[in-house]
Coordinates of all heavy atoms in Angstrom, one line a residue:
F35 N -9.5 59.7 32.8 CA -10.5 60.8 33.0 C -9.9 61.9 33.8 O -10.5 62.2 34.9 CB -11.8 60.3 33.6 CG -12.5 59.2 32.8 CD1 -12.3 57.9 33.0 CD2 -13.3 59.6 31.7 CE1 -12.9 56.9 32.2 CE2 -13.9 58.6 30.9 CZ -13.7 57.3 31.2
P36 N -8.9 62.6 33.4 CA -8.2 63.6 34.2 C -9.2 64.8 34.5 O -9.0 65.5 35.5 CB -7.0 64.0 33.3 CG -7.4 63.6 31.9 CD -8.2 62.4 32.1
Q37 N -10.2 64.9 33.7 CA -11.1 66.0 33.9 C -11.9 65.9 35.2 O -12.5 66.9 35.7 CB -12.1 66.2 32.7 CG -13.0 65.1 32.4 CD -12.5 63.9 31.6 OE1 -11.3 63.7 31.5 NE2 -13.4 63.2 30.9
V38 N -12.0 64.7 35.8 CA -12.7 64.5 37.0 C -11.8 64.2 38.2 O -12.2 63.8 39.3 CB -13.8 63.4 36.9 CG1 -14.8 63.7 35.9 CG2 -13.2 62.0 36.7
T39 N -10.5 64.5 38.0 CA -9.6 64.3 39.1 C -10.0 65.1 40.3 O -10.2 66.3 40.2 CB -8.1 64.6 38.7 OG1 -7.7 63.8 37.6 CG2 -7.1 64.5 39.8
G40 N -10.1 64.4 41.4 CA -10.5 65.1 42.7 C -12.0 65.2 42.9 O -12.5 65.5 44.0
D41 N -12.8 64.8 41.9 CA -14.2 64.8 42.0 C -14.8 63.6 42.7 O -15.9 63.6 43.3 CB -14.9 65.0 40.7 CG -14.8 66.4 40.1 OD1 -14.3 67.3 40.8 OD2 -15.2 66.5 38.9
F42 N -14.1 62.5 42.6 CA -14.5 61.2 43.2 C -13.4 60.5 43.8 O -12.3 60.5 43.3 CB -15.1 60.3 42.1 CG -16.2 61.0 41.3 CD1 -15.9 61.5 40.0 CD2 -17.5 61.1 41.8 CE1 -16.9 62.1 39.3 CE2 -18.5 61.7 41.0 CZ -18.2 62.2 39.8
S43 N -13.7 59.8 44.9 CA -12.7 58.9 45.5 C -13.3 57.6 45.9 O -14.4 57.5 46.3 CB -12.0 59.6 46.7 OG -13.0 59.8 47.8
V44 N -12.6 56.5 45.7 CA -13.0 55.2 46.0 C -12.8 54.9 47.5 O -11.6 55.0 47.9 CB -12.3 54.1 45.1 CG1 -12.8 52.7 45.5 CG2 -12.5 54.4 43.6
E45 N -13.8 54.5 48.2 CA -13.7 54.3 49.6 C -13.5 52.8 49.9 O -12.9 52.4 50.9 CB -14.9 54.8 50.4 CG -14.9 56.3 50.4 CD -15.5 56.9 51.6 OE1 -16.4 56.3 52.2 OE2 -15.1 58.0 52.0
D46 N -14.2 52.0 49.1 CA -14.2 50.5 49.4 C -14.5 49.7 48.1 O -15.3 50.2 47.3 CB -15.2 50.2 50.5 CG -15.1 48.8 51.0 OD1 -14.0 48.3 51.2 OD2 -16.2 48.1 51.0
V47 N -13.9 48.6 48.0 CA -14.1 47.7 46.9 C -14.3 46.3 47.4 O -13.6 45.8 48.3 CB -12.9 47.7 45.9 CG1 -13.2 46.7 44.7 CG2 -12.6 49.0 45.3
A48 N -15.4 45.7 47.0 CA -15.7 44.3 47.4 C -16.3 43.6 46.2 O -16.6 44.2 45.2 CB -16.7 44.3 48.5
P49 N -16.5 42.3 46.2 CA -17.0 41.6 45.1 C -18.4 42.2 44.7 O -19.3 42.4 45.5 CB -17.2 40.1 45.6 CG -16.2 40.0 46.6 CD -16.1 41.3 47.3
M50 N -18.4 42.6 43.4 CA -19.6 43.2 42.8 C -20.1 44.5 43.4 O -21.3 44.9 43.2 CB -20.8 42.1 42.8 CG -20.4 40.8 42.2 SD -20.4 40.9 40.4 CE -22.2 40.8 40.0
Q51 N -19.3 45.2 44.2 CA -19.7 46.5 44.7 C -18.6 47.4 45.1 O -17.4 46.9 45.3 CB -20.6 46.2 46.0 CG -20.0 45.5 47.1 CD -21.0 45.2 48.2 OE1 -22.2 45.5 48.1 NE2 -20.5 44.6 49.2
V52 N -18.9 48.7 45.0 CA -17.9 49.7 45.5 C -18.6 50.8 46.2 O -19.9 50.9 46.1 CB -17.1 50.3 44.3 CG1 -16.3 49.3 43.5 CG2 -18.1 51.1 43.4
R53 N -17.9 51.5 47.0 CA -18.4 52.7 47.7 C -17.5 53.9 47.2 O -16.3 53.8 47.3 CB -18.4 52.6 49.2 CG -19.1 53.8 49.8 CD -19.3 53.7 51.3 NE -18.1 53.5 52.0 CZ -17.7 52.4 52.7 NH1 -18.5 51.4 52.7 NH2 -16.6 52.3 53.3
V54 N -18.2 55.0 46.7 CA -17.5 56.1 46.1 C -18.0 57.4 46.8 O -19.2 57.5 47.1 CB -17.8 56.2 44.6 CG1 -17.1 57.4 44.0 CG2 -17.3 54.9 43.9
R55 N -17.0 58.3 47.1 CA -17.3 59.6 47.7 C -17.2 60.7 46.7 O -16.3 60.7 45.9 CB -16.4 59.8 48.9 CG -16.6 61.2 49.5 CD -15.6 61.3 50.7 NE -15.9 60.4 51.8 CZ -16.7 60.6 52.8 NH1 -17.3 61.8 52.9 NH2 -16.9 59.7 53.7

Side-chain angles (χ1 to χ4, degrees):
F35 299 96
Q37 66 273 26
V38 299
T39 298
D41 286 352
F42 306 100
S43 62
V44 179
E45 293 210 328
D46 189 45
V47 178
M50 303 286 279
Q51 59 188 3
V52 299
R53 187 173 59 246
V54 179
R55 177 179 295 270

